[in-house]
Structure formats: C-alpha cells, structure tokens
Amino acid sequence: MGLLAIGTPLAWPEAKQNANHVREWGIEQLLALWNRAKGKERDVLLWGDEIEYLVVVFDDARRKVTLSLRQADILHALAKDEELCKQGGCVPDLQSVARETETLPTFHPEFGRFMLEATPGKPWGIGCKDLLDVEPNMKWRRMIAKDHMGPDEYPVTLTTFPLLGSKTPHTMPPYPSHGDRLRSQFVADEIANPHIRFPTLAANIRSRRGRKVEINVPIFRDDNTPWPFQDPTVDYDLHTYPEDDDVRNGAAKENSIYMDAMGFGMGSCCLQITFQAKNVTEGRRLYDQLSPLGPILLALTAATPIYKNFLADTDVRWNQVSASVDDRTPEELGEEPLRHDRWRVPKSRYASNSTYISQDPRLRPEYLDPDLIVDETLKQRLMDGGMDDLLATHFAHLFIRDPLVIFAEDLQHLDLDKTDHFENLQSTNWQHMRFKPPPHDNGTGWRVEFRAMEIQMTDFENAAFAIFIVLVTRAILSFDLNFYLPIPRTTQNMETAHARNAVLDREFYFRKDPFPSRVPKIAVSAAAPATSTNGDSTPAAVISRPPTPTGPVEDEYALMSINTLINGNASEPPPPPSSSSDHRSASFPGLIPLVNAYLDSVNVDVETRCELTCYLTLISKRASGEAWTGARWIRSFVRGHADYQRDSVVGEGVCYDLLKAVERMSRDGEKGTLGQEMFGRAGCGAAVSV
C-alpha cells in the first residue's frame, strides 16, 4: 500500500467543493510526469508480487477462531527487531534504516486492522532461475510475520474471514458494530486501519452515495436452506442513523447475503503482480494484452465461497469488493434522472477495465467500450500538453471520479514535482489492470499491475500463479501475441467468472487466433524465435509492423472453456471461417503450450525447467478440473463437516476447523495430507533458506 499521507481530511461536503480543484491539479501533475518520463528506458523487465494475509487468533480450548486487530503491534514488532534492522529492516513505513542489500521482504499496513501486506525486498528479474526463488521467498515472508505475532496468532492467505460480520463475536478484542464511521449493522469501526485515510474514505463513500454501500451476494441453496431466503442477521428496527432506513427501503435483497460496509470488500485479500516494462510502449502493450486474461485468472484462482458465515452461490470476491466502494449516486446509477450529476456511470470505481491504451495497429475501434464516459475537458488538456488520444482518453476516464480523501494541507499550492493529486484519483480507481507512470525522481520505470487474482491458501499455489502470469508476459512479447477482445466481452467474462465452479462449468469469450497474421499458423513451438539466452532475457523477434485486422470483429473471438484456453486443443482441425452466432471455437493453442514454446526458445537448463513445469502443471490441472479451486475445496470441506446442517450456515465450529486446516496447509503445502484435491500432485518442494 505504500507510505500513508498524514493531514487534515475534509468531510464530504467540503471535499466535494474542492473536487474539481484536485482533478485539475492532478492532471497538471500527470502531464509533468508524462513529459519527464515518456522517453524513459529501462534495460530489462522487472516484476514483483504482493501477498496479503489475514491474521487470525485460535482459542483451541473453546474451539473458536477470531480476527486479530493487532496489525499496528505486529508491524511495530517487525520494525523494532534488532536483527532485522541490521539487515536493513522490513517495515519501510515505520523505519528509516538504510536498506543496502534489499534482501529482506517488506511489510505494509492494509485497510483491515486484521491484515498485513508483504512484498519481496527487491523486484524479481525475468531470468527463469529467478522464478524459482519466488516460493521460498513467500514462505520466508510468512515465517517472519509469524515470528512477530503472539503464540495463538497466525497469518493465513484466505480471501475473506468466514465469520466477518456474523452475529458471532469475530474480532479480538471484540467491539460492538454500528459505529459512526462505518454505520454498519454487522462490523465495528475498529476493524479498519485507524489511519485517518481509511475511516475518511469509508465515510465519504457513504456520504457521496447518500446511503450505505449495498452488497448482496446470492445465497447457496442447500437441502435445508430456508426458501425464499431472508438474511436472518438483518435488523430492521435500528434507528440510530439516517442510513438505518436502507434496509427498510429494500437494500437487503431476497435470497441474498446482505452486507453494508467497505470492510466486507476492502477486508479481502488478493494476489497482485506488478510488471516494470522497458519503456512506455511496452507497458501500454502489456496493459492491453493482459486485460482479457483478467477474468480467466479470476476464475482459475476462485477462493471465496463464504460471506458472513453463509455459503454463497458465487466463488470469487470481485463484485463484492466493487459494491463495497461503489460511491455512485442514484443519478449516476440511473435510478433517478440527471439533475445534479454530470453522467450516468456504468461501473463502480472498482471494476473491470474500460480502456485500451496501446498504439498497436491491431487495436480496432470496434474493440473499445461504446459506453465509455470521459471528461472531455480534461482529455483536451492532456492532449494539448502532448499526450496522445488513447492515453489521454484512459486518464480522462479515470478522472470522471471524485477524489474521496482530500487533505486540507495539500490544497495550498500545486507542486509539479509531486504526484499527490494525481495519485488521489489514480489509486482510488481499482480496475483489474492498472497503468502506473514512474514515480518522480525515482529509478522505477513504467509499470502495469495485474489485479484480478484471488489469494491462494498455500505459498506453492501463489507462486505458481505469479510465475505463470510472468511467463505469459514473456510469451506475449516474444511471439507478438494478440489477445485483443472487445471490452464489453471482457466485462461479460468478469461476470461469468463469479459463477459457482465457473472454471469448469462456464465458457468465456476469447480471441480465436492469437498469432500475428504475418506468421504462418504452424506448430506453436515452431513459431518461437531461436535464441540461446539461458532464460535470462526475452528473445527479440525480428518483426514488421502488423497489419490492421479486417473483417467482422465477431469472427475474431469465440466462447471457450478455460481448459481450452489454458491447455489448448490445437491438435484438432481449425474451424472453417464462420459468423455463427454461437461463437464457439474448435481450435486454440493454449496458454500453457505458448509458455512452453517460450521456454523452449530460451534454452532453460533441465533442472530449472523441471521445477517450472511443477508450477505450470498446477495451472494446467486447475483448468482441466484435476486440481480443484480453493472455492470448491472450501465448499466441500464445509458441506462434509459433521456439524454442518445443510442449511447454508457455516457455524463457529465448522469455521474453526476450516481455519485450522487452512493454517496447516499453509505450513505443509502441497506435500501435506490436507487439500490434495487442490494440488493434483503437482508439487515442486521448494526449500526455504533463511
């Protein structure tokens, strides 16, 4: 999350009056950044991963598990560890220790006081041998975190805590719900990081909406689930705040689990990967080509089948997080005619991407979002300042939002050597891809953040997905792959990914032919450029400018299973050209075969290749169904528990046993006896060297 600014936050009425001011200054800072950094070149692509933990407390005597709210204490314990300080420290937000070697991982606060974020101490290189350090480093981070917790506290990589918001006491220490900041029926204000940014963010989202956030997740209908289902935890008789009327006005939907606070979304954990490109051109290209992969990886990493101690009929977190920070007014939502607001806004500020930004001639106008909302005045200012139309459109779209947290001290003068106003808007647009300009006066280059994936229960799984997406970027750049898909189809795919067991039971729109049109459609391995770099760099293919595609856009993509997308079915004969309305494809090379073709092209040594194959095998088996998703495993664990009554309720005892199993898996990994359904015997056995 990075260093958190300190200042005097403005309540929403005053923040609203200064919103245009902040937007305009943010655009000026962006232009200053653009003109300083648009020609910036880096020698090599670097990347990093971001792991988020829930910190839980086990009471074994009473068979109970709660969330620990000791985030600040744990971070201070890490910062005060003399041995860690000698090595450069690992809490940059609390330390000014010189980090000479940058080998220690770093820890940061997150929205929830029950969360920790951990990143490697320095970026990873693109060498294939470097990829083998990822899992040991993730294990090391978990060990360091645990060593600075209480004896009953444990860091677990679970997307959400199953009891958060339930009537059962679910935090340690316990606090009453219905505080002034969140005004939630279900969670206490104290679950949020006390830094003034977070309660202000939650309060201003609620104030801008004119009501609390509204999160309704379909309930999983089991044999004994009351039907129609009415969330029994909802209190319709509260009259403390004006927002208590929300439920009486229909906020809690039938057959849904109802939640009403930012903490239900931003208290979720995920796995994020950030890539540093060689230059802005490569960064824009990666942003576009990775965008259609977001829904696919969301479904592959599905791990969120429980909310508020109920089994949900969805498997992933995305829409719940989206609703938890949705600050749109009734006018922007289309519920009322436009009178005071400027636009009807189709998506929450936490949503799938709505733009492409690469100046790739293969980018057709038909791929763009026809419903895109753009601030034309700000777009024109960016273009007048030297930015091209595509990138100006992207940022002018992000800047349709209001800044939610404004510090009074930041309004005194515009500093073009800072990025505070720009980041105010940029960092609160939580799309599944994020394009990040270089920080001012910093050696960092242009970056792209891949944000769709769910956190996995073991370091082996998290490492596997991180390594996989890194190798996919190498294949994209090496083979000049084209994954362009109309943005509305990617939006549709994100919705499809939410379905229970979507990884096996649903199909996703994807481009049928990813190869450049100038390259003959021969075997994937033959399309790889020859090189002998031992995996330490991406081979540079000698290519000409690709032609702009022609023909109906609808003929370029098809509905495919995730198994086809990941493992391919290119051995089958390709389908004849057709504009059939069902859009189904009979042939696709598969992302795993494309990655293997890339690895073939860089002459990776046998030992390294075998280790990488272990990780790729997990992805392959997850796509085929031989290895279960985390969501499927959790659902099966709950439904197979002796205390479960087949009524969709995940009781305290079931939750305790589930979290015990998750914590044990985090230690034993794919080598243990638990959770073997998730691994498909695809273990690599990475050792930890501390």
Side-chain angles (χ1 to χ4, degrees):
M1 178 164 289
L3 187 63
L4 296 171
I6 297 175
T8 307
L10 304 183
W12 178 245
E14 192 175 358
K16 183 178 180 180
Q17 293 175 2
N18 287 278
N20 283 333
H21 185 179
V22 172
R23 270 191 292 265
E24 290 168 2
W25 278 12
I27 289 295
E28 295 306 315
Q29 289 181 336
L30 172 59
L31 275 175
L33 262 179
W34 170 252
N35 288 311
R36 280 195 299 263
K38 60 186 177 183
K40 191 169 190 174
E41 296 280 344
R42 301 295 295 172
D43 291 334
V44 67
L45 184 141
L46 301 173
W47 68 280
D49 68 86
E50 202 174 288
I51 296 284
E52 293 170 344
Y53 305 97
L54 302 176
V55 182
V56 299
V57 185
F58 288 110
D59 183 341
D60 293 331
R62 299 194 301 158
R63 294 188 68 249
K64 294 180 182 293
V65 60
T66 53
L67 287 168
S68 169
L69 301 185
R70 292 196 329 109
Q71 177 194 89
D73 296 333
I74 295 167
L75 288 172
H76 277 96
L78 286 160
K80 291 178 180 179
D81 187 311
E82 293 184 4
E83 203 56 44
L84 294 179
C85 286
K86 290 177 183 177
Q87 299 177 59
C90 57
V91 192
D93 297 333
L94 299 177
Q95 295 172 303
S96 57
V97 180
R99 289 177 60 84
E100 296 179 2
T101 60
E102 292 191 329
T103 56
L104 281 177
T106 60
F107 294 87
H108 306 273
E110 261 294 344
F111 172 85
R113 285 174 65 187
F114 48 83
M115 301 170 73
L116 288 177
E117 174 191 302
T119 58
K122 61 179 180 179
W124 301 111
I126 62 167
C128 290
K129 284 184 177 293
D130 292 348
L131 299 178
L132 302 185
D133 293 332
V134 175
E135 184 185 354
N137 188 275
M138 289 179 175
K139 290 178 181 288
W140 189 27
R141 285 177 240 172
R142 195 187 295 263
M143 289 172 58
I144 292 175
K146 171 55 189 159
D147 287 346
H148 294 82
M149 295 178 183
D152 299 324
E153 290 177 322
Y154 294 86
V156 295
T157 42
L158 200 62
T159 315
T160 59
F161 183 63
L163 296 180
L164 180 66
S166 68
K167 293 301 184 183
T168 301
H170 49 267
T171 64
M172 182 59 63
Y175 291 98
S177 60
H178 215 221
D180 181 60
R181 287 289 189 174
L182 299 183
R183 302 189 180 182
S184 170
Q185 288 197 18
F186 311 111
V187 293
D189 286 357
E190 286 82 3
I191 69 162
N193 186 316
H195 187 283
I196 194 62
R197 166 183 163 84
F198 297 106
T200 302
L201 185 62
N204 285 356
I205 286 173
R206 188 187 66 250
S207 296
R208 190 183 188 282
R209 277 178 61 88
R211 53 191 169 178
K212 290 188 289 187
V213 296
E214 183 180 308
I215 310 166
N216 284 281
V217 183
I219 188 78
F220 172 72
R221 186 177 184 178
D222 214 334
D223 299 339
N224 300 322
T225 305
W227 207 260
F229 176 84
Q230 299 290 341
D231 190 331
T233 66
V234 177
D235 187 343
Y236 290 89
D237 295 321
L238 287 174
H239 295 276
T240 307
Y241 305 111
E243 294 88 351
D244 291 335
D245 288 338
D246 289 357
V247 293
R248 290 184 285 275
N249 292 331
K253 308 303 183 191
E254 188 174 80
N255 299 328
S256 296
I257 307 160
Y258 170 68
M259 294 165 281
D260 64 353
M262 183 177 172
F264 286 107
M266 287 304 193
S268 302
C269 297
C270 66
L271 170 66
Q272 296 178 2
I273 310 296
T274 300
F275 303 96
Q276 177 183 270
K278 292 194 296 184
N279 51 40
V280 65
T281 300
E282 184 175 89
R284 294 169 71 165
R285 184 176 168 198
L286 284 175
Y287 177 94
D288 282 12
Q289 297 303 325
L290 288 174
S291 183
L293 295 175
I296 312 307
L297 271 295
L298 178 61
L300 273 170
T301 57
T304 319
I306 305 175
Y307 279 99
K308 218 175 67 172
N309 86 305
F310 295 109
L311 279 177
D313 204 33
T314 58
D315 273 3
V316 300
R317 79 197 187 286
W318 191 267
N319 282 349
Q320 286 68 266
V321 187
S322 175
S324 78
V325 293
D326 191 352
D327 67 339
R328 289 175 295 171
T329 66
E331 292 181 21
E332 290 171 331
L333 286 164
E335 298 172 353
E336 297 177 3
L338 285 174
R339 290 189 296 267
H340 307 291
D341 294 312
R342 296 183 290 173
W343 306 287
R344 182 185 177 278
V345 182
K347 295 180 180 180
S348 166
R349 61 200 301 154
Y350 193 113
S352 58
N353 283 17
S354 294
T355 57
Y356 286 129
I357 61 175
S358 177
Q359 293 175 304
D360 189 328
R362 299 173 299 185
L363 173 57
R364 302 176 64 173
E366 297 94 326
Y367 302 156
L368 303 178
D369 187 349
D371 299 320
L372 187 70
I373 306 297
V374 173
D375 188 318
E376 294 293 345
T377 301
L378 297 182
K379 176 182 174 181
Q380 189 60 53
R381 174 68 190 106
L382 289 170
M383 294 179 68
D384 291 344
M387 190 176 288
D388 61 89
D389 180 87
L390 273 173
L391 201 55
T393 297
H394 168 76
F395 286 115
H397 167 65
L398 300 185
F399 272 58
I400 67 170
R401 311 290 178 174
D402 282 337
L404 292 170
V405 180
I406 301 175
F407 293 110
E409 294 81 359
D410 293 337
L411 298 175
Q412 296 174 6
H413 69 277
L414 172 61
D415 188 344
L416 294 180
D417 289 332
K418 295 175 65 176
T419 59
D420 50 343
H421 299 294
F422 166 68
E423 289 295 343
N424 195 328
L425 275 301
Q426 163 92 342
S427 66
T428 55
N429 273 274
W430 297 281
Q431 298 185 345
H432 81 270
M433 298 290 303
R434 181 176 283 160
F435 185 64
K436 303 172 74 170
H440 174 63
D441 196 24
N442 188 304
T444 305
W446 292 90
R447 290 152 297 152
V448 173
E449 192 173 61
F450 190 82
R451 302 169 44 81
M453 293 188 288
E454 308 246 293
I455 198 72
Q456 304 295 284
M457 286 179 267
T458 68
D459 298 309
F460 169 63
E461 295 168 277
N462 286 315
F465 279 102
I467 289 167
F468 172 65
I469 197 67
V470 170
L471 290 174
V472 168
T473 66
R474 303 299 84 217
I476 288 171
L477 296 177
S478 295
F479 304 144
D480 196 23
L481 298 177
N482 177 9
F483 293 144
Y484 273 124
L485 183 72
I487 284 172
R489 291 305 195 189
T490 298
T491 302
Q492 189 174 348
N493 283 346
M494 288 294 280
E495 292 300 315
T496 301
H498 284 74
R500 178 161 46 92
N501 209 31
V503 67
L504 297 181
D505 297 343
R506 297 300 177 97
E507 291 183 318
F508 295 76
Y509 290 102
F510 210 76
R511 191 176 189 87
K512 291 188 285 190
D513 183 1
F515 296 113
S517 58
R518 62 187 170 277
V519 177
K521 296 181 181 66
I522 55 178
V524 171
S525 59
T531 186
S532 57
T533 61
N534 199 30
D536 292 333
S537 65
T538 301
V542 179
I543 59 176
S544 60
R545 181 180 175 87
T548 301
T550 59
V553 167
E554 292 76 14
D555 288 350
E556 296 178 359
Y557 59 88
L559 280 168
M560 305 183 200
S561 68
I562 286 187
N563 188 35
T564 295
L565 284 168
I566 298 298
N567 294 314
N569 58 2
S571 60
E572 302 175 14
S578 171
S579 57
S580 173
S581 60
D582 69 1
H583 297 303
R584 279 168 174 78
S585 173
S587 180
F588 184 76
L591 296 179
I592 292 288
L594 287 167
V595 164
N596 281 327
Y598 164 73
L599 292 173
D600 288 343
S601 75
V602 293
N603 278 345
V604 181
D605 66 84
V606 173
E607 182 179 356
T608 300
R609 183 67 179 270
C610 288
E611 290 287 310
L612 292 176
T613 297
C614 293
Y615 296 116
L616 296 178
T617 297
L618 175 69
I619 309 301
S620 175
K621 291 185 174 183
R622 183 72 59 89
S624 69
E626 187 176 343
W628 292 7
T629 63
R632 182 180 176 186
W633 186 87
I634 292 170
R635 195 182 301 277
S636 175
F637 182 97
V638 169
R639 298 189 76 217
H641 196 283
D643 293 347
Y644 178 64
Q645 301 299 307
R646 295 272 169 171
D647 56 359
S648 307
V649 177
V650 183
E652 278 189 276
V654 179
C655 186
Y656 171 84
D657 288 339
L658 172 63
L659 268 292
K660 274 289 187 180
V662 171
E663 194 281 320
R664 180 177 165 187
M665 279 191 291
S666 73
R667 286 181 285 114
D668 297 346
E670 77 284 2
K671 299 295 186 181
T673 58
L674 278 173
Q676 281 303 307
E677 300 92 340
M678 290 188 294
F679 307 123
R681 302 184 182 276
C684 296
V688 181
S689 177
V690 180

